[in-house]
Amino acid sequence: AQSVTQLDSQVPVFEEAPVELRCNYSSSVSVYLFWYVQYPNQGLQLLLKYLSGSTLVKGINGFEAEFNKSQTSFHLRKPSVHISDTAEYFCAVSVGSGGYQKVTFGIGTKLQVIP
Amino acid sequence: GAVVSQHPSWVICKSGTSVKIECRSLDFQATTMFWYRQFPKQSLMLMATSNEGSKATYEQGVEKDKFLINHASLTLSTLTVTSAHPEDSSFYICSARDAGRQSSYEQYFGPGTRLTVT
């Protein structure tokens, strides 16, 4: 079975500073990796995903993530955060193919941008 | 595109009553929908996978008789919480996969339904 570990439950960062949200996963098979953002009392919105190809993935809102197979990591980064980036961020791993897919989410990292 | 709606967005009900939550894919067909539950300050826990025209697949520990799932069409899945109790209070989120874009492995999430059982 696959699992996802988000190492930081909360990350405070000053506005315009860079940020990295860490994510490690474990799986015995090939995986697809995702980062989602959740604003208060809302559903999840996809930030970016890694399916194959280039290990550096660029997403919406200036976020990017790098897939590192040897370290089984998929850390999320942004060079300069904005107040509006304050939200909860979930890393997720998906296994399966065709019509079946199961997604496992990490516990989430709350990003607090300080003005 | 790829919008998923949920109704209602929040509901308060009395203990012992049943509540139905709808999940709709508005601009695509979804052969597979997923139902998640999220407790405060916790991650999403998959409850069940809903397949159009067939029985839902429930995750271990989820009572299928308590959480009834129906996926009667390619755009609608419903979750009914039967005989709700205060411990069922939670944030329920559905997601859907676009039947025409299986290779994207992406799920589109609804905005969630906040259930409070008094």
Side-chain angles (χ1 to χ4, degrees):
Chain A
Q2 69 274 17
S3 66
V4 180
T5 302
Q6 290 184 246
L7 298 166
D8 306 298
S9 59
Q10 289 192 58
V11 174
V13 62
F14 286 104
E15 192 174 15
E16 297 184 4
V19 69
E20 178 178 82
L21 306 183
R22 296 179 292 171
C23 172
N24 287 87
Y25 69 92
S26 67
S27 175
S28 58
V29 297
S30 296
V31 299
Y32 306 106
L33 297 158
F34 305 81
W35 274 99
Y36 288 90
V37 59
Q38 184 182 32
Y39 299 100
N41 294 314
Q42 294 187 29
L44 274 66
Q45 180 183 4
L46 180 68
L47 275 178
L48 48 77
K49 62 185 177 185
Y50 171 79
L51 303 182
S52 65
S54 173
T55 56
L56 182 62
V57 181
K58 293 189 183 298
I60 63 171
N61 301 340
F63 284 93
E64 64 179 32
E66 185 155 19
F67 169 58
N68 188 319
K69 189 175 182 179
S70 62
Q71 297 185 7
T72 59
S73 68
F74 190 55
H75 301 332
L76 180 70
R77 294 190 290 260
K78 185 169 183 177
S80 176
V81 296
H82 189 267
I83 290 289
S84 59
D85 293 323
T86 295
E88 188 114 31
Y89 292 80
F90 291 94
C91 181
V93 60
S94 171
V95 297
S97 60
Y100 175 76
Q101 176 195 57
K102 180 170 180 177
V103 179
T104 301
F105 288 86
I107 199 167
T109 298
K110 191 167 186 177
L111 175 63
Q112 298 169 298
V113 180
I114 305 165
Chain B
V3 178
V4 176
S5 70
Q6 279 185 244
H7 179 80
S9 55
W10 59 271
V11 57
I12 301 173
C13 70
K14 292 186 177 180
S15 186
T17 62
S18 295
V19 174
K20 180 186 284 188
I21 302 170
E22 292 186 350
C23 176
R24 292 181 185 271
S25 57
L26 299 185
D27 50 3
F28 64 97
Q29 294 184 329
T31 50
T32 306
M33 290 184 169
F34 303 88
W35 286 96
Y36 295 86
R37 184 173 179 177
Q38 186 180 32
F39 290 102
K41 299 185 180 182
Q42 292 190 30
S43 188
L44 281 74
M45 300 298 296
L46 179 65
M47 298 175 65
T49 302
S50 169
N51 299 297
E52 186 267 338
S54 64
K55 291 183 179 180
T57 303
Y58 289 82
E59 294 300 301
Q60 192 173 8
V62 178
E63 299 176 61
K64 59 180 68 176
D65 293 330
K66 181 168 185 63
F67 298 99
L68 301 179
I69 291 172
N70 184 279
H71 193 157
S73 77
L74 287 172
T75 60
L76 173 65
S77 176
T78 60
L79 168 68
T80 302
V81 183
T82 61
S83 187
H85 290 281
E87 57 266 29
D88 298 324
S89 298
S90 190
F91 194 51
Y92 292 87
I93 302 176
C94 75
S95 70
R97 293 187 67 199
D98 187 340
R101 299 186 64 210
Q102 297 282 356
S103 60
S104 74
Y105 291 95
E106 184 172 347
Q107 294 184 22
Y108 302 98
F109 286 83
T113 296
R114 174 77 59 192
L115 170 63
T116 302
V117 184
T118 60

